[in-house]
Amino acid sequence: MPQVTGDIGWRLVFAFPILPVLFQDLVLTVCPDTPQYLASIKQDMEGAVVSLSKFRKVVSDQEVNDLMVIDGEDEECRVLTFREILSDSGHRLALLIGILLHLARQLSGASAVFNYAPKIFAAANVSDPVLGTVGMGLVSVFTAVAAVLLSDRMGRRFLMITGICKMVIALVGIGVCQTCNATERLLVWTCGGGWTGPVALVSVFVYMSGFSLSVGSTIWLYVNEITAPKARGKTNMVCLAVTCGLEMVVLLTYDSIDKRLNPHTFFLYAGILTVFVILIVFMMPETSKKPIHQVCQELREQSKRSPPTVVYIRGRGAVGSGNEGVVRSYLEEPHTVIGNIQAFHEFQNQPKTAFKKDRWRSERHGLT
């Protein structure tokens, strides 16, 4: 950059983000209101259908019926206060899950990786840290595009868990590379060499792809999908405050943590993310291809459990496809679940018939 632009290079770096901001402002001027907002807050059913038609080539009767359910709710359609959000178990659980995901976003050390990438690459013996930083940005952009294409097909829950698991593995890889190259601290491994540079580079790229696949992009869509329109504004405001506040904390504390824990700093972030993976597996429901009133009802049912976990027993269809199988808490009905499994295996041992599975399901549910 200095060879091309001279002393104004750093000014161009800070000025370049103005271009996407201006583009976003122009796009927002033609962005329509969401159908859920028009149906629930504005009570404009006709406008909601018109808005939905801008996002769909063909508007199905089921989608119109879902909007009518939102429009025909008995309670007064208005924006909820914080007290009302916290007093409702479903809204409260949606807020808790949103905060949990944003905590995972920032406590993963993403801000440190973004801002200290050249330093991280240098500590891991990467030959060209600046070029590695550029490659990291390209991986982030392409993976974010892939997340948009895969979100409906794979499901939000799958992308979130897969992406964070990739981040944990990548953080361990970065920590191993830095530890092998360190020479001035205790508990270091004398295994450094030419292999640490490429491994560190790949680890950071894997980390960025996992981040963009999960808490970097999917998180914003997911929080909106688990929140009712009446509580969405305040829920997003709280989540945004959490992520911005923690981003500042992570940036201000990274140097101090790195001086005390170096070269084991990224093992700390990997341990924190592992805890969040466990929480997300047990608390995060699927929202893909589900209407908002169904998601809110499932959250209310989930909030009645202690702890409010969700356990998926997948059927023949993909999660979120409308044929998910059984959503059941094993802690609540262990004997029923085990009994169904045992009965199915016993039935499997009988002579095969064309309608065996369908007949078994009918007998179990008393339909014959």
Side-chain angles (χ1 to χ4, degrees), residues 230-248:
K230 304 171 191 179
R232 189 168 294 160
K234 289 184 173 61
T235 299
N236 280 323
M237 181 176 66
V238 172
C239 292
L240 187 61
V242 169
T243 195
C244 291
L246 279 177
E247 183 175 12
M248 181 179 66

Side-chain angles (χ1 to χ4, degrees), residues 39-104:
S40 62
I41 304 300
K42 294 296 186 180
Q43 293 288 282
D44 183 6
M45 189 61 196
E46 182 180 353
V49 175
V50 173
S51 177
L52 184 61
S53 65
K54 295 180 180 179
F55 298 98
R56 304 281 193 275
K57 293 182 179 179
V58 178
V59 178
S60 66
D61 294 337
Q62 181 61 43
E63 290 175 316
V64 176
N65 291 335
D66 292 338
L67 290 176
M68 293 178 66
V69 170
I70 298 174
D71 180 54
E73 291 179 341
D74 294 332
E75 62 180 5
E76 184 182 358
C77 291
R78 58 186 176 83
V79 177
L80 300 180
T81 64
F82 279 114
R83 183 175 182 179
E84 290 170 327
I85 292 174
L86 296 176
S87 63
D88 183 276
S89 59
H91 297 323
R92 187 170 60 246
L93 180 59
L95 177 62
L96 176 62
I97 294 174
I99 293 175
L100 174 69
L101 294 175
H102 280 275
L103 286 173

Side-chain angles (χ1 to χ4, degrees), residues 106-109 112 116 119 178 185 246-270 272:
Q106 294 302 335
L107 294 181
S108 65
Y116 292 90
K119 179 181 177 181
Q178 289 190 344
R185 294 294 181 95
L246 279 177
E247 183 175 12
M248 181 179 66
V249 171
V250 170
L251 287 175
L252 292 177
T253 58
Y254 173 76
D255 269 337
S256 300
I257 294 175
D258 192 49
K259 289 177 181 179
R260 290 180 178 274
L261 298 182
N262 185 276
H264 313 296
T265 307
F266 288 97
F267 290 124
L268 171 64
Y269 292 124
I272 294 173

Side-chain angles (χ1 to χ4, degrees), residues 100-145:
L100 174 69
L101 294 175
H102 280 275
L103 286 173
R105 171 186 170 88
Q106 294 302 335
L107 294 181
S108 65
S111 299
V113 174
F114 291 152
N115 292 276
Y116 292 90
K119 179 181 177 181
I120 295 170
F121 283 135
N125 198 28
V126 175
S127 58
D128 193 341
V130 176
L131 187 60
T133 305
V134 174
M136 184 181 71
L138 293 176
V139 170
S140 177
V141 172
F142 287 120
T143 310
V145 174

Side-chain angles (χ1 to χ4, degrees), residues 75-366:
E75 62 180 5
E76 184 182 358
C77 291
R78 58 186 176 83
V79 177
L80 300 180
T81 64
F82 279 114
R83 183 175 182 179
E84 290 170 327
I85 292 174
L86 296 176
S87 63
D88 183 276
S89 59
H91 297 323
R92 187 170 60 246
L93 180 59
L95 177 62
L96 176 62
I97 294 174
I99 293 175
L100 174 69
L101 294 175
H102 280 275
L103 286 173
R105 171 186 170 88
Q106 294 302 335
L107 294 181
S108 65
S111 299
V113 174
F114 291 152
N115 292 276
Y116 292 90
K119 179 181 177 181
I120 295 170
F121 283 135
N125 198 28
V126 175
S127 58
D128 193 341
V130 176
L131 187 60
T133 305
V134 174
M136 184 181 71
L138 293 176
V139 170
S140 177
V141 172
F142 287 120
T143 310
V145 174
V148 174
L149 301 176
L150 295 174
S151 184
D152 285 333
R153 178 177 300 180
M154 306 299 294
R156 286 57 155 147
R157 174 183 164 88
F158 177 81
L159 290 183
M160 193 71 67
I161 295 173
T162 303
I164 296 180
C165 287
K166 289 175 63 177
M167 293 169 68
V168 172
I169 296 172
L171 287 171
V172 172
I174 297 172
V176 168
C177 293
Q178 289 190 344
T179 304
C180 287
N181 279 292
T183 57
E184 300 177 357
R185 294 294 181 95
L186 298 177
L187 300 177
V188 298
W189 308 329
T190 56
C191 55
W195 64 270
T196 57
V199 171
L201 197 64
V202 171
S203 297
V204 172
F205 288 173
V206 171
Y207 178 89
M208 291 307 306
S209 66
F211 178 83
S212 299
L213 199 66
S214 55
V215 291
S217 59
T218 308
I219 183 175
W220 304 104
L221 173 64
Y222 182 79
V223 172
N224 281 326
E225 289 183 336
I226 63 173
T227 310
K230 304 171 191 179
R232 189 168 294 160
K234 289 184 173 61
T235 299
N236 280 323
M237 181 176 66
V238 172
C239 292
L240 187 61
V242 169
T243 195
C244 291
L246 279 177
E247 183 175 12
M248 181 179 66
V249 171
V250 170
L251 287 175
L252 292 177
T253 58
Y254 173 76
D255 269 337
S256 300
I257 294 175
D258 192 49
K259 289 177 181 179
R260 290 180 178 274
L261 298 182
N262 185 276
H264 313 296
T265 307
F266 288 97
F267 290 124
L268 171 64
Y269 292 124
I272 294 173
L273 263 188
T274 302
V275 175
F276 280 109
V277 168
I278 297 173
L279 293 174
I280 289 171
V281 166
F282 282 99
M283 292 188 64
M284 179 179 174
E286 181 57 78
T287 61
S288 178
K289 299 181 182 179
K290 294 182 181 179
I292 183 62
H293 66 271
Q294 179 183 348
V295 174
C296 292
Q297 180 61 34
E298 290 178 358
L299 284 173
R300 288 192 179 92
E301 293 298 326
Q302 181 181 338
S303 66
K304 296 177 182 178
R305 305 186 186 113
S306 182
T309 58
V310 53
V311 178
Y312 282 82
I313 302 176
R314 293 187 60 177
R316 289 181 295 177
V319 172
S321 65
N323 186 25
E324 296 97 332
V326 182
V327 180
R328 191 189 301 275
S329 173
Y330 174 79
L331 298 177
E332 289 182 354
E333 302 177 87
H335 300 293
T336 304
V337 175
I338 294 175
N340 284 338
I341 295 174
Q342 291 175 346
F344 180 74
H345 286 304
E346 292 173 0
F347 195 80
Q348 285 288 88
N349 295 327
Q350 297 180 10
K352 294 184 178 181
T353 59
F355 305 100
K356 186 172 66 174
K357 290 186 179 180
D358 291 335
R359 182 159 57 85
W360 175 81
R361 291 192 182 92
S362 298
E363 291 174 356
R364 294 297 300 176
H365 295 284

